[in-house]
Amino acid sequence: MHKWWVAMNRKIVLPNGKEIKPPFKLTWVITLIVILLIALSIYVTKFDLSLLVTHAHRASEYFSQLFNFNEKTYAFIPSIYKPLLQTLAMSLVGSLAGMLLAFPVGIICAININNNFFTCILRAIFNILRTIPILIVGLIFKYIFGASNFSGFVAILITTFLIGIKMLYEYIETLNLASYESALATGLNKYQAIVSTIIPNIRSYFVSQTLYMFEVNVRMATILGLVGGGGIGLVLNDQLTVNPAKAGMILIFMFVVVLTIELITGFLRKRLA
């Protein structure tokens, strides 16, 4: 304890005779906090490493069933096309509709354009709503509209809308608004100044983020299907326990589709950058 106290209070003498105390390093404190948090997480979740070892054979058995294809599995392939297209459709339309709705709201919520009490309240409301996970949103609309593609579409639209607002106003707040302020000084009203100076600067970013949201929403649409959001996820949920081989075929199709979309959207976003 004495050594620790001395180390904490040591001083450095400069060549001019002046004594200074070096800044306190938080490295060991942060390390200790991280270790305690990990230990607490292990205790709360009752994590047991031995279960991973003892149940490894069960995982091996299930994965062997998952990709044990036969004639019935190949005959099932035509049944995948329709729900897969439905998943892509609700992801695409939900992403486009959500981002288009977010476009004007994101501009309104930018503090450097509208620095007022109304903007702060609006942002606070959207921030609170954005904390609701998409699966919960999907479950809510499942109980409203039933297990259908429409439930998944609405969940994707709302989640994309809320995320898109944050993306846009954060990007707008990084812009240099000299041209916007000059436009206002020439006599243009705020709407005209935004159309002539702000929108041209965010157009490429908006398209890039719309492509990104579509890429993300294809994955999310599959997960939404597991909770009744329609599409390929609903079919996957039915087959996971009943016929693992058919579920494995669905996973392969999803892997190919998601990888293809990632490559295409990634290429387009680079071209827009």
Side-chain angles (χ1 to χ4, degrees):
M1 182 70 178
H2 174 69
K3 290 181 180 180
W4 175 81
W5 180 256
V6 171
M8 290 281 292
N9 292 275
R10 76 184 192 278
K11 293 180 180 179
I12 298 173
V13 181
L14 298 177
N16 61 6
K18 186 178 179 181
E19 291 184 349
I20 61 170
K21 186 177 180 181
F24 177 66
K25 293 183 179 180
L26 290 175
T27 306
W28 68 272
V29 177
I30 294 171
T31 303
L32 180 62
I33 291 172
V34 170
I35 291 171
L36 288 174
L37 288 174
I38 292 172
L40 180 63
S41 301
I42 291 171
Y43 173 76
V44 171
T45 58
K46 301 188 186 306
F47 176 77
D48 189 352
L49 188 61
S50 63
L51 285 176
L52 294 177
V53 178
T54 56
H55 288 69
H57 69 283
R58 294 179 62 181
S60 168
E61 288 172 4
Y62 185 77
F63 276 105
S64 64
Q65 294 176 24
L66 205 60
F67 300 105
N68 184 22
F69 301 143
N70 51 40
E71 291 182 4
K72 290 184 178 179
T73 311
Y74 296 120
F76 176 71
I77 290 176
S79 305
I80 298 175
Y81 298 146
K82 185 178 178 180
L84 186 58
L85 288 174
Q86 290 172 343
T87 297
L88 292 174
M90 65 184 185
S91 301
L92 179 61
V93 178
S95 301
L96 286 173
M99 289 299 288
L100 287 172
L101 290 172
F103 189 79
V105 183
I107 296 173
I108 292 170
C109 289
I111 293 294
N112 55 349
I113 293 177
N114 296 300
N115 190 6
N116 53 51
F117 181 72
F118 171 75
T119 302
C120 294
I121 294 296
L122 203 59
R123 283 174 64 145
I125 293 170
F126 289 137
N127 286 338
I128 292 169
L129 292 175
R130 197 171 52 252
T131 61
I132 304 173
I134 190 171
L135 287 178
I136 304 300
V137 178
L139 282 171
I140 291 170
F141 286 106
K142 173 191 171 183
Y143 289 114
I144 295 174
F145 302 115
S148 63
N149 295 328
F150 187 72
S151 301
F153 161 73
V154 176
I156 289 171
L157 186 150
I158 291 175
T159 304
T160 303
F161 170 70
L162 294 171
I163 295 173
I165 290 171
K166 182 177 175 63
M167 285 178 169
L168 286 166
Y169 74 64
E170 284 186 345
Y171 182 73
I172 292 169
E173 288 171 359
T174 66
L175 297 175
N176 184 347
L177 296 187
S179 59
Y180 171 73
E181 291 167 356
S182 299
L184 291 175
T186 60
L188 295 180
N189 60 40
K190 183 174 280 191
Y191 172 76
Q192 292 170 328
I194 289 171
V195 171
S196 60
T197 62
I198 300 297
I199 291 179
N201 284 324
I202 65 174
R203 194 160 43 210
S204 296
Y205 176 80
F206 172 76
V207 175
S208 175
Q209 294 308 304
T210 301
L211 291 171
Y212 172 72
M213 287 307 302
F214 170 57
E215 178 186 320
V216 171
N217 285 334
V218 170
R219 297 191 192 92
M220 295 311 301
T222 306
I223 298 170
L224 279 171
L226 299 177
V227 295
I232 194 68
L234 197 59
V235 182
L236 178 62
N237 189 40
D238 292 338
Q239 300 298 332
L240 276 171
T241 52
V242 177
N243 195 321
K246 291 181 180 179
M249 184 62 74
I250 293 171
L251 290 174
I252 289 174
F253 270 79
M254 283 305 305
F255 172 77
V256 173
V257 168
V258 170
L259 183 61
T260 304
I261 290 171
E262 277 190 6
L263 292 172
I264 294 171
T265 56
F267 172 76
L268 292 174
R269 294 209 321 266
K270 284 181 180 178
R271 299 280 294 183
L272 289 168

Short mmCIF file of all heavy atoms in Angstrom, two decimals, residues 131-188:
data_model
loop_
_atom_site.label_atom_id
_atom_site.label_comp_id
_atom_site.label_asym_id
_atom_site.label_seq_id
_atom_site.Cartn_x
_atom_site.Cartn_y
_atom_site.Cartn_z
N THR A 131 -34.55 3.44 -29.75
CA THR A 131 -34.01 2.43 -28.82
C THR A 131 -34.81 1.13 -28.85
O THR A 131 -34.34 0.11 -28.34
CB THR A 131 -34.01 2.97 -27.37
OG1 THR A 131 -35.36 3.27 -26.97
CG2 THR A 131 -33.16 4.23 -27.26
N ILE A 132 -36.00 1.16 -29.46
CA ILE A 132 -36.82 -0.07 -29.54
C ILE A 132 -36.24 -0.97 -30.64
O ILE A 132 -36.18 -0.56 -31.80
CB ILE A 132 -38.28 0.27 -29.85
CG1 ILE A 132 -38.84 1.24 -28.82
CG2 ILE A 132 -39.13 -1.00 -29.90
CD1 ILE A 132 -40.24 1.75 -29.15
N PRO A 133 -35.82 -2.18 -30.31
CA PRO A 133 -35.24 -3.08 -31.33
C PRO A 133 -36.26 -3.43 -32.41
O PRO A 133 -37.46 -3.47 -32.16
CB PRO A 133 -34.86 -4.34 -30.52
CG PRO A 133 -34.80 -3.89 -29.10
CD PRO A 133 -35.80 -2.79 -28.97
N ILE A 134 -35.75 -3.70 -33.62
CA ILE A 134 -36.63 -4.00 -34.74
C ILE A 134 -37.46 -5.26 -34.50
O ILE A 134 -38.59 -5.37 -34.98
CB ILE A 134 -35.81 -4.13 -36.05
CG1 ILE A 134 -36.75 -4.20 -37.27
CG2 ILE A 134 -34.87 -5.33 -36.00
CD1 ILE A 134 -36.04 -4.11 -38.60
N LEU A 135 -36.92 -6.22 -33.72
CA LEU A 135 -37.70 -7.42 -33.42
C LEU A 135 -38.93 -7.10 -32.58
O LEU A 135 -40.00 -7.69 -32.79
CB LEU A 135 -36.83 -8.44 -32.68
CG LEU A 135 -35.77 -9.15 -33.51
CD1 LEU A 135 -34.94 -10.09 -32.63
CD2 LEU A 135 -36.39 -9.93 -34.66
N ILE A 136 -38.78 -6.16 -31.64
CA ILE A 136 -39.94 -5.74 -30.83
C ILE A 136 -40.95 -5.01 -31.70
O ILE A 136 -42.16 -5.23 -31.58
CB ILE A 136 -39.48 -4.83 -29.66
CG1 ILE A 136 -38.43 -5.54 -28.80
CG2 ILE A 136 -40.67 -4.40 -28.82
CD1 ILE A 136 -38.89 -6.82 -28.18
N VAL A 137 -40.46 -4.16 -32.60
CA VAL A 137 -41.34 -3.46 -33.54
C VAL A 137 -42.10 -4.48 -34.39
O VAL A 137 -43.32 -4.36 -34.61
CB VAL A 137 -40.54 -2.49 -34.44
CG1 VAL A 137 -41.46 -1.80 -35.45
CG2 VAL A 137 -39.81 -1.44 -33.60
N GLY A 138 -41.36 -5.50 -34.86
CA GLY A 138 -41.99 -6.54 -35.66
C GLY A 138 -43.06 -7.30 -34.89
O GLY A 138 -44.13 -7.60 -35.44
N LEU A 139 -42.79 -7.60 -33.63
CA LEU A 139 -43.78 -8.30 -32.80
C LEU A 139 -45.03 -7.45 -32.58
O LEU A 139 -46.16 -7.97 -32.60
CB LEU A 139 -43.16 -8.67 -31.44
CG LEU A 139 -42.23 -9.89 -31.43
CD1 LEU A 139 -41.52 -10.00 -30.10
CD2 LEU A 139 -43.02 -11.16 -31.71
N ILE A 140 -44.82 -6.15 -32.37
CA ILE A 140 -45.97 -5.25 -32.17
C ILE A 140 -46.89 -5.27 -33.38
O ILE A 140 -48.11 -5.42 -33.27
CB ILE A 140 -45.48 -3.81 -31.88
CG1 ILE A 140 -44.80 -3.75 -30.51
CG2 ILE A 140 -46.65 -2.82 -31.95
CD1 ILE A 140 -44.08 -2.44 -30.24
N PHE A 141 -46.29 -5.15 -34.58
CA PHE A 141 -47.11 -5.12 -35.79
C PHE A 141 -47.62 -6.50 -36.18
O PHE A 141 -48.61 -6.60 -36.91
CB PHE A 141 -46.32 -4.47 -36.94
CG PHE A 141 -46.19 -2.99 -36.78
CD1 PHE A 141 -44.99 -2.43 -36.39
CD2 PHE A 141 -47.28 -2.16 -36.98
CE1 PHE A 141 -44.87 -1.06 -36.22
CE2 PHE A 141 -47.18 -0.79 -36.81
CZ PHE A 141 -45.97 -0.23 -36.43
N LYS A 142 -46.97 -7.54 -35.68
CA LYS A 142 -47.51 -8.88 -35.89
C LYS A 142 -48.85 -9.02 -35.18
O LYS A 142 -49.80 -9.59 -35.73
CB LYS A 142 -46.52 -9.92 -35.35
CG LYS A 142 -47.06 -11.35 -35.38
CD LYS A 142 -46.18 -12.30 -34.59
CE LYS A 142 -46.84 -13.65 -34.45
NZ LYS A 142 -46.04 -14.60 -33.63
N TYR A 143 -48.95 -8.47 -33.97
CA TYR A 143 -50.20 -8.55 -33.22
C TYR A 143 -51.26 -7.61 -33.78
O TYR A 143 -52.45 -7.83 -33.58
CB TYR A 143 -49.95 -8.26 -31.74
CG TYR A 143 -49.20 -9.38 -31.04
CD1 TYR A 143 -47.92 -9.18 -30.55
CD2 TYR A 143 -49.76 -10.64 -30.91
CE1 TYR A 143 -47.21 -10.21 -29.94
CE2 TYR A 143 -49.07 -11.67 -30.30
CZ TYR A 143 -47.80 -11.45 -29.81
OH TYR A 143 -47.10 -12.48 -29.21
N ILE A 144 -50.81 -6.56 -34.50
CA ILE A 144 -51.77 -5.63 -35.11
C ILE A 144 -52.28 -6.16 -36.44
O ILE A 144 -53.48 -6.20 -36.70
CB ILE A 144 -51.12 -4.24 -35.31
CG1 ILE A 144 -50.77 -3.62 -33.95
CG2 ILE A 144 -52.07 -3.31 -36.08
CD1 ILE A 144 -49.99 -2.32 -34.04
N PHE A 145 -51.34 -6.58 -37.32
CA PHE A 145 -51.69 -7.00 -38.67
C PHE A 145 -51.65 -8.50 -38.89
O PHE A 145 -52.00 -8.98 -39.97
CB PHE A 145 -50.75 -6.33 -39.69
CG PHE A 145 -50.75 -4.84 -39.63
CD1 PHE A 145 -49.61 -4.14 -39.24
CD2 PHE A 145 -51.88 -4.11 -39.97
CE1 PHE A 145 -49.61 -2.75 -39.19
CE2 PHE A 145 -51.89 -2.73 -39.92
CZ PHE A 145 -50.75 -2.04 -39.53
N GLY A 146 -51.17 -9.26 -37.88
CA GLY A 146 -51.02 -10.69 -38.04
C GLY A 146 -49.66 -11.02 -38.65
O GLY A 146 -48.92 -10.14 -39.09
N ALA A 147 -49.33 -12.32 -38.67
CA ALA A 147 -48.05 -12.76 -39.23
C ALA A 147 -48.13 -12.65 -40.75
O ALA A 147 -48.76 -13.47 -41.42
CB ALA A 147 -47.76 -14.20 -38.81
N SER A 148 -47.50 -11.61 -41.29
CA SER A 148 -47.60 -11.36 -42.74
C SER A 148 -46.42 -10.53 -43.21
O SER A 148 -45.67 -9.98 -42.41
CB SER A 148 -48.90 -10.61 -43.05
OG SER A 148 -48.89 -9.33 -42.43
N ASN A 149 -46.28 -10.45 -44.53
CA ASN A 149 -45.23 -9.62 -45.12
C ASN A 149 -45.42 -8.15 -44.78
O ASN A 149 -44.46 -7.40 -44.65
CB ASN A 149 -45.21 -9.79 -46.64
CG ASN A 149 -44.84 -11.20 -47.06
OD1 ASN A 149 -44.06 -11.87 -46.39
ND2 ASN A 149 -45.40 -11.66 -48.16
N PHE A 150 -46.68 -7.75 -44.64
CA PHE A 150 -46.97 -6.34 -44.35
C PHE A 150 -46.42 -5.95 -42.97
O PHE A 150 -45.91 -4.84 -42.80
CB PHE A 150 -48.47 -6.08 -44.41
CG PHE A 150 -48.83 -4.62 -44.28
CD1 PHE A 150 -48.56 -3.74 -45.32
CD2 PHE A 150 -49.41 -4.14 -43.11
CE1 PHE A 150 -48.88 -2.40 -45.19
CE2 PHE A 150 -49.73 -2.81 -42.98
CZ PHE A 150 -49.47 -1.93 -44.03
N SER A 151 -46.50 -6.85 -42.01
CA SER A 151 -45.95 -6.59 -40.67
C SER A 151 -44.45 -6.35 -40.74
O SER A 151 -43.92 -5.41 -40.14
CB SER A 151 -46.24 -7.76 -39.72
OG SER A 151 -47.61 -8.00 -39.62
N GLY A 152 -43.76 -7.21 -41.51
CA GLY A 152 -42.33 -7.04 -41.68
C GLY A 152 -41.98 -5.76 -42.41
O GLY A 152 -41.03 -5.06 -42.04
N PHE A 153 -42.77 -5.42 -43.44
CA PHE A 153 -42.54 -4.20 -44.20
C PHE A 153 -42.65 -2.96 -43.32
O PHE A 153 -41.80 -2.07 -43.36
CB PHE A 153 -43.53 -4.13 -45.37
CG PHE A 153 -43.69 -2.75 -45.94
CD1 PHE A 153 -42.69 -2.18 -46.71
CD2 PHE A 153 -44.85 -2.02 -45.69
CE1 PHE A 153 -42.83 -0.90 -47.22
CE2 PHE A 153 -45.00 -0.74 -46.20
CZ PHE A 153 -43.99 -0.18 -46.97
N VAL A 154 -43.71 -2.91 -42.51
CA VAL A 154 -43.92 -1.73 -41.65
C VAL A 154 -42.80 -1.62 -40.61
O VAL A 154 -42.32 -0.52 -40.31
CB VAL A 154 -45.30 -1.80 -40.95
CG1 VAL A 154 -45.47 -0.64 -39.98
CG2 VAL A 154 -46.42 -1.78 -41.98
N ALA A 155 -42.38 -2.76 -40.06
CA ALA A 155 -41.28 -2.76 -39.07
C ALA A 155 -39.99 -2.23 -39.70
O ALA A 155 -39.27 -1.42 -39.10
CB ALA A 155 -41.07 -4.16 -38.51
N ILE A 156 -39.70 -2.66 -40.93
CA ILE A 156 -38.50 -2.20 -41.64
C ILE A 156 -38.61 -0.71 -41.95
O ILE A 156 -37.65 0.05 -41.78
CB ILE A 156 -38.29 -3.01 -42.92
CG1 ILE A 156 -37.85 -4.44 -42.57
CG2 ILE A 156 -37.25 -2.36 -43.83
CD1 ILE A 156 -37.82 -5.38 -43.75
N LEU A 157 -39.78 -0.29 -42.42
CA LEU A 157 -39.98 1.12 -42.77
C LEU A 157 -39.75 2.03 -41.57
O LEU A 157 -39.01 3.03 -41.65
CB LEU A 157 -41.41 1.31 -43.31
CG LEU A 157 -41.76 2.69 -43.87
CD1 LEU A 157 -42.80 2.57 -44.97
CD2 LEU A 157 -42.31 3.63 -42.78
N ILE A 158 -40.36 1.70 -40.44
CA ILE A 158 -40.25 2.55 -39.25
C ILE A 158 -38.82 2.58 -38.72
O ILE A 158 -38.29 3.64 -38.38
CB ILE A 158 -41.23 2.07 -38.16
CG1 ILE A 158 -42.67 2.35 -38.60
CG2 ILE A 158 -40.94 2.73 -36.81
CD1 ILE A 158 -43.72 1.82 -37.68
N THR A 159 -38.19 1.41 -38.66
CA THR A 159 -36.81 1.35 -38.16
C THR A 159 -35.86 2.11 -39.08
O THR A 159 -34.99 2.85 -38.61
CB THR A 159 -36.35 -0.11 -38.03
OG1 THR A 159 -37.27 -0.83 -37.19
CG2 THR A 159 -34.95 -0.20 -37.43
N THR A 160 -36.03 1.95 -40.39
CA THR A 160 -35.21 2.68 -41.36
C THR A 160 -35.43 4.19 -41.24
O THR A 160 -34.48 4.97 -41.31
CB THR A 160 -35.53 2.21 -42.79
OG1 THR A 160 -35.33 0.81 -42.89
CG2 THR A 160 -34.66 2.93 -43.81
N PHE A 161 -36.68 4.57 -41.07
CA PHE A 161 -37.03 5.99 -40.90
C PHE A 161 -36.29 6.60 -39.71
O PHE A 161 -35.67 7.67 -39.82
CB PHE A 161 -38.55 6.10 -40.72
CG PHE A 161 -39.03 7.46 -40.32
CD1 PHE A 161 -38.98 8.53 -41.20
CD2 PHE A 161 -39.54 7.68 -39.04
CE1 PHE A 161 -39.43 9.78 -40.82
CE2 PHE A 161 -40.00 8.92 -38.66
CZ PHE A 161 -39.94 9.98 -39.55
N LEU A 162 -36.31 5.92 -38.58
CA LEU A 162 -35.69 6.45 -37.35
C LEU A 162 -34.16 6.49 -37.47
O LEU A 162 -33.53 7.46 -37.04
CB LEU A 162 -36.11 5.59 -36.15
CG LEU A 162 -37.61 5.64 -35.80
CD1 LEU A 162 -37.95 4.61 -34.76
CD2 LEU A 162 -37.99 7.04 -35.31
N ILE A 163 -33.58 5.44 -38.04
CA ILE A 163 -32.13 5.42 -38.22
C ILE A 163 -31.70 6.45 -39.27
O ILE A 163 -30.69 7.14 -39.11
CB ILE A 163 -31.65 4.01 -38.62
CG1 ILE A 163 -31.89 3.02 -37.48
CG2 ILE A 163 -30.16 4.01 -38.99
CD1 ILE A 163 -31.62 1.57 -37.84
N GLY A 164 -32.49 6.55 -40.35
CA GLY A 164 -32.17 7.51 -41.41
C GLY A 164 -32.16 8.94 -40.93
O GLY A 164 -31.31 9.75 -41.36
N ILE A 165 -33.07 9.29 -40.04
CA ILE A 165 -33.11 10.65 -39.48
C ILE A 165 -31.79 10.97 -38.79
O ILE A 165 -31.19 12.03 -39.01
CB ILE A 165 -34.29 10.79 -38.49
CG1 ILE A 165 -35.61 10.76 -39.23
CG2 ILE A 165 -34.17 12.08 -37.68
CD1 ILE A 165 -36.81 10.67 -38.34
N LYS A 166 -31.33 10.05 -37.95
CA LYS A 166 -30.07 10.27 -37.22
C LYS A 166 -28.88 10.38 -38.18
O LYS A 166 -28.02 11.24 -38.02
CB LYS A 166 -29.85 9.13 -36.22
CG LYS A 166 -28.59 9.29 -35.36
CD LYS A 166 -28.47 8.18 -34.35
CE LYS A 166 -27.16 8.25 -33.57
NZ LYS A 166 -27.04 9.48 -32.78
N MET A 167 -28.83 9.49 -39.17
CA MET A 167 -27.74 9.53 -40.15
C MET A 167 -27.68 10.90 -40.83
O MET A 167 -26.60 11.50 -40.98
CB MET A 167 -27.96 8.45 -41.22
CG MET A 167 -27.66 7.04 -40.78
SD MET A 167 -28.02 5.90 -42.14
CE MET A 167 -27.30 4.39 -41.52
N LEU A 168 -28.84 11.39 -41.24
CA LEU A 168 -28.89 12.63 -42.02
C LEU A 168 -28.54 13.85 -41.19
O LEU A 168 -27.72 14.68 -41.60
CB LEU A 168 -30.27 12.79 -42.67
CG LEU A 168 -30.53 11.86 -43.85
CD1 LEU A 168 -32.00 11.83 -44.21
CD2 LEU A 168 -29.72 12.30 -45.06
N TYR A 169 -29.16 13.99 -40.01
CA TYR A 169 -28.87 15.22 -39.26
C TYR A 169 -27.44 15.24 -38.73
O TYR A 169 -26.85 16.32 -38.61
CB TYR A 169 -29.92 15.50 -38.18
CG TYR A 169 -29.93 14.66 -36.93
CD1 TYR A 169 -28.86 14.66 -36.03
CD2 TYR A 169 -31.05 13.91 -36.57
CE1 TYR A 169 -28.89 13.91 -34.85
CE2 TYR A 169 -31.10 13.17 -35.41
CZ TYR A 169 -30.02 13.17 -34.56
OH TYR A 169 -30.05 12.44 -33.39
N GLU A 170 -26.88 14.07 -38.43
CA GLU A 170 -25.49 14.05 -37.99
C GLU A 170 -24.55 14.44 -39.13
O GLU A 170 -23.55 15.12 -38.92
CB GLU A 170 -25.12 12.66 -37.45
CG GLU A 170 -25.68 12.39 -36.07
CD GLU A 170 -25.20 11.07 -35.48
OE1 GLU A 170 -24.66 10.25 -36.26
OE2 GLU A 170 -25.36 10.87 -34.27
N TYR A 171 -24.87 14.00 -40.35
CA TYR A 171 -24.04 14.36 -41.49
C TYR A 171 -24.17 15.85 -41.82
O TYR A 171 -23.17 16.53 -42.09
CB TYR A 171 -24.45 13.53 -42.72
CG TYR A 171 -23.60 13.82 -43.94
CD1 TYR A 171 -22.29 13.37 -44.03
CD2 TYR A 171 -24.12 14.56 -45.00
CE1 TYR A 171 -21.52 13.64 -45.15
CE2 TYR A 171 -23.36 14.83 -46.12
CZ TYR A 171 -22.06 14.37 -46.18
OH TYR A 171 -21.28 14.65 -47.28
N ILE A 172 -25.39 16.37 -41.79
CA ILE A 172 -25.62 17.79 -42.08
C ILE A 172 -24.88 18.67 -41.08
O ILE A 172 -24.34 19.72 -41.44
CB ILE A 172 -27.14 18.10 -42.06
CG1 ILE A 172 -27.83 17.41 -43.24
CG2 ILE A 172 -27.39 19.61 -42.12
CD1 ILE A 172 -29.33 17.43 -43.18
N GLU A 173 -24.82 18.22 -39.84
CA GLU A 173 -24.13 19.02 -38.80
C GLU A 173 -22.62 19.05 -38.98
O GLU A 173 -21.94 19.82 -38.30
CB GLU A 173 -24.51 18.48 -37.42
CG GLU A 173 -25.94 18.81 -37.03
CD GLU A 173 -26.41 18.11 -35.76
OE1 GLU A 173 -25.64 17.34 -35.17
OE2 GLU A 173 -27.58 18.33 -35.38
N THR A 174 -22.08 18.23 -39.87
CA THR A 174 -20.64 18.28 -40.16
C THR A 174 -20.33 19.18 -41.36
O THR A 174 -19.16 19.42 -41.66
CB THR A 174 -20.09 16.86 -40.45
OG1 THR A 174 -20.68 16.36 -41.67
CG2 THR A 174 -20.39 15.91 -39.31
N LEU A 175 -21.37 19.65 -42.06
CA LEU A 175 -21.16 20.45 -43.26
C LEU A 175 -20.74 21.88 -42.94
O LEU A 175 -21.11 22.43 -41.90
CB LEU A 175 -22.45 20.48 -44.11
CG LEU A 175 -22.96 19.15 -44.67
CD1 LEU A 175 -24.28 19.36 -45.37
CD2 LEU A 175 -21.95 18.52 -45.61
N ASN A 176 -20.01 22.45 -43.86
CA ASN A 176 -19.69 23.88 -43.79
C ASN A 176 -20.87 24.65 -44.39
O ASN A 176 -21.17 24.51 -45.58
CB ASN A 176 -18.41 24.16 -44.59
CG ASN A 176 -17.98 25.62 -44.48
OD1 ASN A 176 -18.73 26.47 -44.02
ND2 ASN A 176 -16.76 25.89 -44.90
N LEU A 177 -21.54 25.45 -43.58
CA LEU A 177 -22.77 26.12 -44.02
C LEU A 177 -22.54 27.53 -44.54
O LEU A 177 -23.46 28.36 -44.54
CB LEU A 177 -23.77 26.15 -42.86
CG LEU A 177 -24.28 24.80 -42.36
CD1 LEU A 177 -25.37 24.99 -41.33
CD2 LEU A 177 -24.79 23.94 -43.51
N ALA A 178 -21.32 27.81 -44.98
CA ALA A 178 -21.03 29.16 -45.50
C ALA A 178 -21.92 29.50 -46.69
O ALA A 178 -22.46 30.62 -46.78
CB ALA A 178 -19.55 29.26 -45.88
N SER A 179 -22.09 28.54 -47.60
CA SER A 179 -22.93 28.79 -48.78
C SER A 179 -24.40 28.96 -48.40
O SER A 179 -25.11 29.78 -48.99
CB SER A 179 -22.78 27.64 -49.79
OG SER A 179 -23.15 26.41 -49.19
N TYR A 180 -24.83 28.19 -47.39
CA TYR A 180 -26.21 28.31 -46.90
C TYR A 180 -26.45 29.68 -46.29
O TYR A 180 -27.47 30.34 -46.57
CB TYR A 180 -26.48 27.21 -45.88
CG TYR A 180 -27.78 27.32 -45.12
CD1 TYR A 180 -28.99 27.05 -45.74
CD2 TYR A 180 -27.79 27.71 -43.78
CE1 TYR A 180 -30.18 27.15 -45.05
CE2 TYR A 180 -28.98 27.81 -43.08
CZ TYR A 180 -30.17 27.53 -43.73
OH TYR A 180 -31.36 27.64 -43.04
N GLU A 181 -25.52 30.14 -45.48
CA GLU A 181 -25.65 31.45 -44.85
C GLU A 181 -25.57 32.57 -45.88
O GLU A 181 -26.27 33.59 -45.77
CB GLU A 181 -24.56 31.62 -43.80
CG GLU A 181 -24.76 30.69 -42.59
CD GLU A 181 -23.55 30.62 -41.70
OE1 GLU A 181 -22.51 31.22 -42.05
OE2 GLU A 181 -23.62 29.94 -40.65
N SER A 182 -24.75 32.38 -46.91
CA SER A 182 -24.65 33.37 -47.99
C SER A 182 -25.97 33.46 -48.76
O SER A 182 -26.41 34.55 -49.14
CB SER A 182 -23.53 33.01 -48.95
OG SER A 182 -22.28 33.00 -48.29
N ALA A 183 -26.60 32.28 -48.97
CA ALA A 183 -27.89 32.25 -49.67
C ALA A 183 -28.96 33.00 -48.88
O ALA A 183 -29.77 33.73 -49.46
CB ALA A 183 -28.31 30.81 -49.92
N LEU A 184 -28.94 32.82 -47.56
CA LEU A 184 -29.89 33.55 -46.72
C LEU A 184 -29.62 35.05 -46.78
O LEU A 184 -30.56 35.87 -46.79
CB LEU A 184 -29.80 33.06 -45.26
CG LEU A 184 -30.30 31.64 -44.98
CD1 LEU A 184 -30.02 31.26 -43.52
CD2 LEU A 184 -31.79 31.51 -45.27
N ALA A 185 -28.35 35.40 -46.83
CA ALA A 185 -27.97 36.82 -46.85
C ALA A 185 -28.39 37.51 -48.15
O ALA A 185 -28.62 38.73 -48.17
CB ALA A 185 -26.46 36.95 -46.67
N THR A 186 -28.51 36.72 -49.22
CA THR A 186 -28.92 37.32 -50.50
C THR A 186 -30.42 37.54 -50.60
O THR A 186 -30.91 38.09 -51.59
CB THR A 186 -28.48 36.41 -51.68
OG1 THR A 186 -29.10 35.13 -51.53
CG2 THR A 186 -26.97 36.27 -51.72
N GLY A 187 -31.15 37.06 -49.59
CA GLY A 187 -32.59 37.29 -49.57
C GLY A 187 -33.43 36.06 -49.77
O GLY A 187 -34.67 36.12 -49.74
N LEU A 188 -32.81 34.89 -49.98
CA LEU A 188 -33.58 33.66 -50.11
C LEU A 188 -34.16 33.27 -48.75
O LEU A 188 -33.54 33.52 -47.70
CB LEU A 188 -32.69 32.52 -50.61
CG LEU A 188 -32.10 32.63 -52.03
CD1 LEU A 188 -31.25 31.41 -52.33
CD2 LEU A 188 -33.20 32.78 -53.07
#
